Amino acid sequence: MINESVLLESKSLRDSVLERTDVLDRVKALSLLPDGMHVTTAMVAAYFGVTIEVVRQLKTRHQEELFCNGVVTLRGSDLAEFKRDILSRFPGGYPQPRSSLTLYSRRAVLNVAMLLRDSDIARQVRTYLLDMEYLSRTRPVENTAPAQLAAPDDLDTRIDRRITQILGKTVVPMFNALIETSGEHRRELIELREDIQNVERKLCWHHRRISTLEGDTPTDQVRASIAAMTWQAFERHVADLLRRDGCMDVVVRQARSDRGIDITGRTADGRSVAVQCKNRAGAGRSSIPSADMQKFAGAARAVDHVDVALFVATCNFSHEAQVIADLSGVITVNRDELDAWTAGVHLKALR
């Protein structure tokens, strides 16, 4: 088992587990501001049981890494807007900053946990992270290769796809709503929702297995369906996939003056999401150029400071575009990954 202190020294290891923000609430409940997404420096200090000055010094030493993972400092009109729209909802409940306010996303708080040496809570978070990573790497993997599966004795026992639709469009959204409004039982609800989503994934897999045995080609069917969509329909399709994977407050902008952001929303654990959609199936282009990636990365990271930036395309990405995505933290979803996502595989970045 790897010692928890290794996270203090290895940025690559820290980057590999930054999506596991659920660990924070498993160790200790993290109180959020009324926007449901951020905490202040004082709230970070209270969570880890350290002084505000310790957090400020940590932010100064690791400024670049923390800002890449969701730390933002509001000033001027941005601060005034945040105070009016968020802090004013609870007058007296939160301090009213005068000149600036530093906010931490849940991802940034997890980043702090992996950098903060002198905090028992931070050490517990690091240990929990590495324990979960160890379990995920050593757990036996279910062999789902269709070629190694025997044909079912009776194809009349096929899975009814309506069950999957009920789970994805009714049960999971119900859990999302309960999670958003619950406090005391939030952790248990998240675990129950994950169980339901595991059932949904297995049902989708069984349906694809039977389709393959009967001579259908699910990937071709999915790709043909997406190719027939207008750009508006494609954006709505991606929005539905986000909701299926547990995202809340999903909004499709469907406007051309959006600075490259087509869809916004929040993950179940409160991270902000921005999505750029490109349906290039009928445009005659084989890849997404670097200019498109630069525009979206600038809007998502420099302007809106979102936690999860997704670029979803019906084609592949050019080498230059992928390099920009990797440097700016944009998660790319290419043609093959989109096919799998559409067919029922849940997107790792949203977990």
Side-chain angles (χ1 to χ4, degrees), residues 247-316:
C247 289
M248 301 171 287
D249 301 333
V250 177
V251 176
V252 182
R253 297 185 176 186
Q254 294 208 332
R256 286 314 187 191
S257 59
D258 55 7
R259 302 195 311 274
I261 296 177
D262 298 319
I263 305 171
T264 58
R266 289 189 296 123
T267 61
D269 60 8
R271 290 172 292 153
S272 57
V273 179
V275 186
Q276 165 76 344
C277 301
K278 288 293 183 185
N279 188 351
R280 292 283 171 79
R285 293 191 182 182
S286 59
S287 62
I288 297 296
S290 59
D292 287 353
M293 184 61 70
Q294 287 175 337
K295 178 182 177 183
F296 175 62
R301 291 305 190 196
V303 179
D304 288 359
H305 303 289
V306 299
D307 298 319
V308 181
L310 296 177
F311 199 124
V312 183
T314 56
C315 58
N316 294 319

Side-chain angles (χ1 to χ4, degrees), residues 135-172:
L135 288 174
S136 68
R137 292 178 183 273
T138 57
R139 184 182 293 119
V141 177
E142 181 181 359
N143 189 350
T144 59
Q148 298 177 9
L149 295 169
D153 294 332
D154 185 0
L155 288 178
D156 290 335
T157 62
R158 70 176 63 193
I159 300 298
D160 188 343
R161 293 192 71 185
R162 286 176 295 176
I163 298 176
T164 304
Q165 292 174 349
I166 290 171
L167 290 175
K169 296 184 179 180
T170 303
V171 178
V172 172

Side-chain angles (χ1 to χ4, degrees), residues 113 170 175 179 272 341-342:
T170 303
F175 273 105
I179 290 168
S272 57
W341 192 20
T342 299

Side-chain angles (χ1 to χ4, degrees), residues 99-242:
S99 58
S100 67
L101 175 64
T102 298
L103 299 176
Y104 291 72
S105 66
R106 291 174 61 88
R107 185 182 176 95
V109 176
L110 184 60
N111 200 165
V112 170
M114 292 185 280
L115 294 168
L116 192 57
R117 293 181 180 274
D118 300 323
S119 166
D120 289 337
I121 296 297
R123 279 191 286 270
Q124 290 178 44
V125 171
R126 292 194 292 270
T127 300
Y128 208 123
L129 275 173
L130 292 173
D131 285 348
M132 294 179 70
E133 186 72 5
Y134 174 79
L135 288 174
S136 68
R137 292 178 183 273
T138 57
R139 184 182 293 119
V141 177
E142 181 181 359
N143 189 350
T144 59
Q148 298 177 9
L149 295 169
D153 294 332
D154 185 0
L155 288 178
D156 290 335
T157 62
R158 70 176 63 193
I159 300 298
D160 188 343
R161 293 192 71 185
R162 286 176 295 176
I163 298 176
T164 304
Q165 292 174 349
I166 290 171
L167 290 175
K169 296 184 179 180
T170 303
V171 178
V172 172
M174 178 189 71
F175 273 105
N176 292 341
L178 288 172
I179 290 168
E180 187 174 13
T181 58
S182 67
E184 181 181 356
H185 302 291
R186 186 173 186 272
R187 186 182 309 167
E188 290 84 355
L189 287 169
I190 290 175
E191 292 175 352
L192 283 172
R193 185 192 61 196
E194 289 176 352
D195 291 339
I196 293 294
Q197 289 175 326
N198 285 334
V199 172
E200 181 190 358
R201 282 193 287 273
K202 289 183 179 179
L203 289 173
C204 289
W205 175 77
H206 280 297
H207 178 78
R208 291 197 300 276
R209 181 189 70 168
I210 292 171
S211 295
T212 301
L213 290 170
E214 293 182 329
D216 295 336
T217 309
T219 299
D220 291 344
Q221 295 171 358
V222 168
R223 193 163 292 175
S225 174
I226 293 174
M229 295 178 184
T230 64
W231 65 267
Q232 297 96 331
F234 180 58
E235 289 180 4
R236 291 193 296 269
H237 172 69
V238 174
D240 287 340
L241 294 177
L242 292 169

Side-chain angles (χ1 to χ4, degrees), residues 4-61:
E4 52 85 20
S5 62
V6 73
L7 286 167
L8 296 166
E9 312 299 334
S10 174
K11 183 178 184 301
S12 61
L13 184 57
R14 292 196 295 271
D15 291 342
S16 70
V17 295
L18 272 171
E19 295 175 0
R20 304 308 301 264
T21 56
D22 57 300
V23 169
L24 294 170
D25 289 315
R26 294 175 184 268
V27 174
K28 178 182 177 181
L30 176 66
S31 299
L32 300 173
L33 287 170
D35 66 350
M37 295 186 290
H38 296 97
V39 296
T40 64
T41 303
M43 295 167 74
V44 175
Y47 178 84
F48 290 112
V50 298
T51 65
I52 294 176
E53 185 59 29
V54 167
V55 178
R56 286 174 176 164
Q57 290 178 4
L58 185 75
K59 180 173 74 74
T60 300
R61 291 196 303 271

